[in-house]
Amino acid sequence: MSQVLSPLPGTFYVKPSPEAAPYKAPGDAVVVGDVLGLVEVMKTFIEIKAEFAGTFTAYIAEDGLPVMAAQALAEVAE
Amino acid sequence: MSIERLFIANRGEIAVRIIVAAKELGITTIQAYSEADADMLAVKLADETVCIGPAKATESYLDVNRVVAAAIEESADAVHPGYGFLSESPEFARAVEQAGMKFVGPSATTIERMGDKVAARQAAEAAGVPVVPGSKGRIGSVDEAVEVAAKVGYPVMVKAAAGGGGKGIRIAQTEDELRILAPQAQQEAVAAFGDGGLYVERSVKSPRHIEVQIVGDGDKAVHFYERECSLQRRRQKVWEEAGADCLDEETRENLCMAAVALAESVNYRGAGTLEYLYEASTKEFFFIEMNTRIQVEHPVTEMITGFDLVREMILVCGGAPLSVSQDQIKRSGHAIEVRLNAEDPFMQFLPWPGKVESLKMPEGEGVRFDHFLYEGYQIPPFYDSLIGKLIVHGKDREEAISKMAVALEDLEINGLKTTIPLHKALAKDPSVASGDFHTQWLEPWLEAGNLKPENT
């Protein structure tokens, strides 16, 4: 099990837009480069991309709430 | 009745700036803050403070009802909106006034009128301020576009009347091009907005951004000369100067007096700025819009004129007549401001907030640093990336640039990434030194790789 960490402080989003479905659901395959979420920092949205492949397990940080740098955002089983 | 208790509905460096000006006037300051801003410098400096909600700006600084309710609760008699957030919201200005408080800015009606591009253009034309030559209103056909273009001269910009976000805009160099491009703009407009109305105006070549600072008391207005803000990235100003050395004395006088005429014609109260595009090859200037608030770059004007614009706007909005007449406002020397953002200029300007680990500030004659930093301060990631402004004043532009280079060397902000390296590179650039730039200069300069770590 590996954790995806936030590179920056900001606000975490699990969806590309409020109406859209989350990027990943538990059980989804993850390949390197897949977008797993967004961190909004100072009005800029940064895509959080998978740096390893595996199976998506869960989001750890909550959608729409503040996160710190290096805080765990999601979990992927390798 | 003058202002005794001023509520500050903003954050960051402008909140600090307003507190300093208000305290000098003997006014009690009440600072609003979000949950993420409890540690900010303005909260430490203000006489009184009040939390107005969560970190998210839409639930705190941008929430009209919440901000007005907090101001009433704190028995404020006036509200200063700063810049950004609700500063140009007519709803906010109206709500403040309806609650019996003074709004430190123009009336809601004036904000509304100047916020509407067509109405602002009409007000400008009526006051004798030159606007970009173009069609009177919307036009419905390509033939009509060709007719207008023949009158205003090529190149022309054809825009969808209902446009926005850059959609439905084309630039045509010739009539043949216009006949091809106008229908495209029209189709794009119909698809995007369900409205095929077109608008044609002359396309200004290599425009320079010149703006005039005015202050009005609702009756009379004065100008504090002009600024040049042509160094921009993604339409955000990066480096600002006062005055604009590209103008000759006659053009400057015309530009500034036309701004006063417009301000008086709309009974303007408070500080405001008229923005113009200037075409150096023809020496023509064209009004584009009016900002009905104090602006980020106001310090360069204060440096060359010696007036405190925030103090002046608080006084006139408190009901006092202008404290200064036009003949008392002189300009001296040249001032430059650079915007310091918490961004990494070597990584596509990625925002990079952090904790201020150490801070070394430049000092000296003609050096000013407006900011909200202190050692140990964690910059919150929820708002814009402006962390401060470095301003210098020299006897002329050349001296101001070299002063800026020295001040940038003396400034150290550790613990985050900042745009200081960009400004160091600009302060050394020959085109910047010779004044040979325009609003579309900086982005290609960056794309060409002129900003390198070893040059800064």
Side-chain angles (χ1 to χ4, degrees), chain A residues 52-67:
Chain A
F52 42 83
T55 305
F56 188 81
T57 317
Y59 285 110
I60 304 172
E62 235 177 292
D63 185 39
L65 289 186
V67 292

PDB file of all heavy atoms in Angstrom, chain A residues 52-67:
ATOM      1  N   PHE A  52       3.202   5.883  -9.499  1.00  0.00           N
ATOM      2  CA  PHE A  52       3.394   4.437  -9.575  1.00  0.00           C
ATOM      3  C   PHE A  52       2.061   3.813  -9.967  1.00  0.00           C
ATOM      4  O   PHE A  52       1.003   4.431  -9.802  1.00  0.00           O
ATOM      5  CB  PHE A  52       3.909   3.872  -8.238  1.00  0.00           C
ATOM      6  CG  PHE A  52       3.223   4.456  -7.034  1.00  0.00           C
ATOM      7  CD1 PHE A  52       1.996   3.958  -6.613  1.00  0.00           C
ATOM      8  CD2 PHE A  52       3.785   5.527  -6.342  1.00  0.00           C
ATOM      9  CE1 PHE A  52       1.362   4.505  -5.520  1.00  0.00           C
ATOM     10  CE2 PHE A  52       3.146   6.087  -5.251  1.00  0.00           C
ATOM     11  CZ  PHE A  52       1.925   5.570  -4.835  1.00  0.00           C
ATOM     12  N   ALA A  53       2.133   2.560 -10.494  1.00  0.00           N
ATOM     13  CA  ALA A  53       0.911   1.879 -10.941  1.00  0.00           C
ATOM     14  C   ALA A  53       0.377   0.981  -9.827  1.00  0.00           C
ATOM     15  O   ALA A  53       1.103   0.627  -8.899  1.00  0.00           O
ATOM     16  CB  ALA A  53       1.215   1.056 -12.185  1.00  0.00           C
ATOM     17  N   GLY A  54      -0.892   0.620  -9.934  1.00  0.00           N
ATOM     18  CA  GLY A  54      -1.483  -0.279  -8.940  1.00  0.00           C
ATOM     19  C   GLY A  54      -3.001  -0.226  -8.992  1.00  0.00           C
ATOM     20  O   GLY A  54      -3.581   0.044 -10.049  1.00  0.00           O
ATOM     21  N   THR A  55      -3.602  -0.479  -7.866  1.00  0.00           N
ATOM     22  CA  THR A  55      -5.062  -0.455  -7.771  1.00  0.00           C
ATOM     23  C   THR A  55      -5.460   0.608  -6.749  1.00  0.00           C
ATOM     24  O   THR A  55      -4.929   0.629  -5.632  1.00  0.00           O
ATOM     25  CB  THR A  55      -5.585  -1.833  -7.311  1.00  0.00           C
ATOM     26  OG1 THR A  55      -5.082  -2.810  -8.212  1.00  0.00           O
ATOM     27  CG2 THR A  55      -7.107  -1.874  -7.316  1.00  0.00           C
ATOM     28  N   PHE A  56      -6.375   1.475  -7.171  1.00  0.00           N
ATOM     29  CA  PHE A  56      -6.806   2.551  -6.278  1.00  0.00           C
ATOM     30  C   PHE A  56      -7.548   1.970  -5.077  1.00  0.00           C
ATOM     31  O   PHE A  56      -8.439   1.131  -5.235  1.00  0.00           O
ATOM     32  CB  PHE A  56      -7.708   3.530  -7.042  1.00  0.00           C
ATOM     33  CG  PHE A  56      -8.055   4.769  -6.257  1.00  0.00           C
ATOM     34  CD1 PHE A  56      -7.163   5.822  -6.177  1.00  0.00           C
ATOM     35  CD2 PHE A  56      -9.279   4.869  -5.596  1.00  0.00           C
ATOM     36  CE1 PHE A  56      -7.467   6.966  -5.453  1.00  0.00           C
ATOM     37  CE2 PHE A  56      -9.590   6.014  -4.871  1.00  0.00           C
ATOM     38  CZ  PHE A  56      -8.679   7.063  -4.806  1.00  0.00           C
ATOM     39  N   THR A  57      -7.171   2.416  -3.883  1.00  0.00           N
ATOM     40  CA  THR A  57      -7.825   1.895  -2.678  1.00  0.00           C
ATOM     41  C   THR A  57      -8.835   2.906  -2.128  1.00  0.00           C
ATOM     42  O   THR A  57     -10.012   2.584  -1.998  1.00  0.00           O
ATOM     43  CB  THR A  57      -6.781   1.596  -1.575  1.00  0.00           C
ATOM     44  OG1 THR A  57      -5.657   0.957  -2.189  1.00  0.00           O
ATOM     45  CG2 THR A  57      -7.364   0.701  -0.505  1.00  0.00           C
ATOM     46  N   ALA A  58      -8.355   4.120  -1.839  1.00  0.00           N
ATOM     47  CA  ALA A  58      -9.279   5.109  -1.254  1.00  0.00           C
ATOM     48  C   ALA A  58      -8.663   6.495  -1.234  1.00  0.00           C
ATOM     49  O   ALA A  58      -7.439   6.640  -1.278  1.00  0.00           O
ATOM     50  CB  ALA A  58      -9.610   4.708   0.184  1.00  0.00           C
ATOM     51  N   TYR A  59      -9.525   7.487  -1.188  1.00  0.00           N
ATOM     52  CA  TYR A  59      -9.064   8.839  -0.885  1.00  0.00           C
ATOM     53  C   TYR A  59      -8.906   8.929   0.629  1.00  0.00           C
ATOM     54  O   TYR A  59      -9.749   8.402   1.372  1.00  0.00           O
ATOM     55  CB  TYR A  59     -10.076   9.882  -1.375  1.00  0.00           C
ATOM     56  CG  TYR A  59     -10.029  10.063  -2.874  1.00  0.00           C
ATOM     57  CD1 TYR A  59     -11.068   9.621  -3.690  1.00  0.00           C
ATOM     58  CD2 TYR A  59      -8.919  10.667  -3.472  1.00  0.00           C
ATOM     59  CE1 TYR A  59     -11.015   9.777  -5.067  1.00  0.00           C
ATOM     60  CE2 TYR A  59      -8.867  10.822  -4.852  1.00  0.00           C
ATOM     61  CZ  TYR A  59      -9.910  10.381  -5.645  1.00  0.00           C
ATOM     62  OH  TYR A  59      -9.845  10.532  -6.999  1.00  0.00           O
ATOM     63  N   ILE A  60      -7.859   9.569   1.072  1.00  0.00           N
ATOM     64  CA  ILE A  60      -7.653   9.734   2.509  1.00  0.00           C
ATOM     65  C   ILE A  60      -8.073  11.147   2.916  1.00  0.00           C
ATOM     66  O   ILE A  60      -8.778  11.345   3.886  1.00  0.00           O
ATOM     67  CB  ILE A  60      -6.171   9.491   2.896  1.00  0.00           C
ATOM     68  CG1 ILE A  60      -5.740   8.099   2.429  1.00  0.00           C
ATOM     69  CG2 ILE A  60      -5.978   9.656   4.406  1.00  0.00           C
ATOM     70  CD1 ILE A  60      -4.258   7.837   2.599  1.00  0.00           C
ATOM     71  N   ALA A  61      -7.642  12.140   2.138  1.00  0.00           N
ATOM     72  CA  ALA A  61      -8.048  13.520   2.419  1.00  0.00           C
ATOM     73  C   ALA A  61      -9.463  13.726   1.888  1.00  0.00           C
ATOM     74  O   ALA A  61      -9.877  13.104   0.910  1.00  0.00           O
ATOM     75  CB  ALA A  61      -7.075  14.490   1.748  1.00  0.00           C
ATOM     76  N   GLU A  62     -10.183  14.614   2.535  1.00  0.00           N
ATOM     77  CA  GLU A  62     -11.572  14.835   2.162  1.00  0.00           C
ATOM     78  C   GLU A  62     -11.709  15.874   1.044  1.00  0.00           C
ATOM     79  O   GLU A  62     -10.956  16.848   1.016  1.00  0.00           O
ATOM     80  CB  GLU A  62     -12.351  15.313   3.387  1.00  0.00           C
ATOM     81  CG  GLU A  62     -13.557  14.439   3.673  1.00  0.00           C
ATOM     82  CD  GLU A  62     -14.264  14.908   4.927  1.00  0.00           C
ATOM     83  OE1 GLU A  62     -13.671  14.768   6.023  1.00  0.00           O
ATOM     84  OE2 GLU A  62     -15.379  15.425   4.798  1.00  0.00           O
ATOM     85  N   ASP A  63     -12.678  15.640   0.165  1.00  0.00           N
ATOM     86  CA  ASP A  63     -12.928  16.535  -0.965  1.00  0.00           C
ATOM     87  C   ASP A  63     -13.284  17.948  -0.484  1.00  0.00           C
ATOM     88  O   ASP A  63     -14.137  18.119   0.385  1.00  0.00           O
ATOM     89  CB  ASP A  63     -14.091  15.971  -1.791  1.00  0.00           C
ATOM     90  CG  ASP A  63     -14.340  16.771  -3.059  1.00  0.00           C
ATOM     91  OD1 ASP A  63     -13.358  17.205  -3.685  1.00  0.00           O
ATOM     92  OD2 ASP A  63     -15.523  16.976  -3.409  1.00  0.00           O
ATOM     93  N   GLY A  64     -12.604  18.939  -1.056  1.00  0.00           N
ATOM     94  CA  GLY A  64     -12.964  20.331  -0.783  1.00  0.00           C
ATOM     95  C   GLY A  64     -12.410  20.893   0.517  1.00  0.00           C
ATOM     96  O   GLY A  64     -12.736  22.010   0.894  1.00  0.00           O
ATOM     97  N   LEU A  65     -11.549  20.132   1.185  1.00  0.00           N
ATOM     98  CA  LEU A  65     -11.002  20.630   2.455  1.00  0.00           C
ATOM     99  C   LEU A  65      -9.505  20.936   2.332  1.00  0.00           C
ATOM    100  O   LEU A  65      -8.826  20.402   1.468  1.00  0.00           O
ATOM    101  CB  LEU A  65     -11.246  19.606   3.568  1.00  0.00           C
ATOM    102  CG  LEU A  65     -12.709  19.460   4.029  1.00  0.00           C
ATOM    103  CD1 LEU A  65     -12.796  18.537   5.230  1.00  0.00           C
ATOM    104  CD2 LEU A  65     -13.335  20.818   4.371  1.00  0.00           C
ATOM    105  N   PRO A  66      -8.999  21.798   3.228  1.00  0.00           N
ATOM    106  CA  PRO A  66      -7.576  22.156   3.177  1.00  0.00           C
ATOM    107  C   PRO A  66      -6.669  20.958   3.455  1.00  0.00           C
ATOM    108  O   PRO A  66      -7.007  20.091   4.252  1.00  0.00           O
ATOM    109  CB  PRO A  66      -7.430  23.189   4.299  1.00  0.00           C
ATOM    110  CG  PRO A  66      -8.801  23.706   4.535  1.00  0.00           C
ATOM    111  CD  PRO A  66      -9.728  22.579   4.237  1.00  0.00           C
ATOM    112  N   VAL A  67      -5.523  20.918   2.771  1.00  0.00           N
ATOM    113  CA  VAL A  67      -4.490  19.916   3.040  1.00  0.00           C
ATOM    114  C   VAL A  67      -3.159  20.636   3.238  1.00  0.00           C
ATOM    115  O   VAL A  67      -2.956  21.742   2.731  1.00  0.00           O
ATOM    116  CB  VAL A  67      -4.339  18.885   1.890  1.00  0.00           C
ATOM    117  CG1 VAL A  67      -5.571  17.998   1.802  1.00  0.00           C
ATOM    118  CG2 VAL A  67      -4.067  19.568   0.550  1.00  0.00           C
TER     119      VAL A  67
END
